[in-house]
């Protein structure tokens, strides 16, 4: 069995770019929502403390932008097809997946 047959590059590259663009766009959306929350323009932010909602939206924006950057960085490393660059790309994508799973688990436990 050839070593390059274990890894299909084109679907991985397309999915990394799709996730990178998607998480980047959601990060920009979170920044816009945080600005609206700080101005009390969102329905949930007018009644209570806006700083908590704004803080969580800005934290989500930072995490989404980090995930987008890690997906693009994973693509950048993996395109060279050496064992070290594939490992570095897999590590970058693994860190992005860890951030996503940590957020999912937190919101599952928070209810």
């Amino acid at each position: 069995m050839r070593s390059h047959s274990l890894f299909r590059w084109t679907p991985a590259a397309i999915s990394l770019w799709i996730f990178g663009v998607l998480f980047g766009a959601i990060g920009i959306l979170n920044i816009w929502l945080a600005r609206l929350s700080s101005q009390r323009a969102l329905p949930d932010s007018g009644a209570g403390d806006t700083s908590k909602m704004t803080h969580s939206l800005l934290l989500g924006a930072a995490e989404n932008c980090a995930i987008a950057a890690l997906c693009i960085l994973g693509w950048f490393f993996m395109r060279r097809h050496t064992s070290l660059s594939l490992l570095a790309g897999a590590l970058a994508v693994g860190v992005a997946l860890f951030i996503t799973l940590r957020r999912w688990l937190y919101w599952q436990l928070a209810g």
Side-chain angles (χ1 to χ4, degrees), residues 77-101:
F77 283 138
M78 287 185 198
R79 72 183 180 144
R80 292 180 25 204
H81 296 292
T82 63
S83 61
L84 188 61
S85 66
L86 288 174
L87 182 65
L91 183 65
V93 173
V95 170
L97 182 62
F98 174 75
I99 293 170
T100 304
L101 288 175

Side-chain angles (χ1 to χ4, degrees), residues 1-57:
M1 179 179 256
R2 297 183 311 204
S3 64
H4 72 276
S5 67
L6 294 176
F7 182 72
R8 299 288 179 219
W9 171 242
T10 305
I14 291 170
S15 64
L16 285 174
W17 271 102
I18 288 173
F19 284 127
V21 169
L22 180 69
F23 276 101
I26 292 172
I28 292 170
L29 178 66
N30 278 353
I31 292 172
W32 178 65
L33 288 173
R35 187 179 65 83
L36 289 178
S37 174
S38 68
Q39 297 172 352
R40 297 180 185 259
L42 294 178
D44 291 343
S45 63
D49 185 25
T50 61
S51 64
K52 185 174 181 179
M53 179 182 267
T54 303
H55 175 72
S56 92
L57 285 169

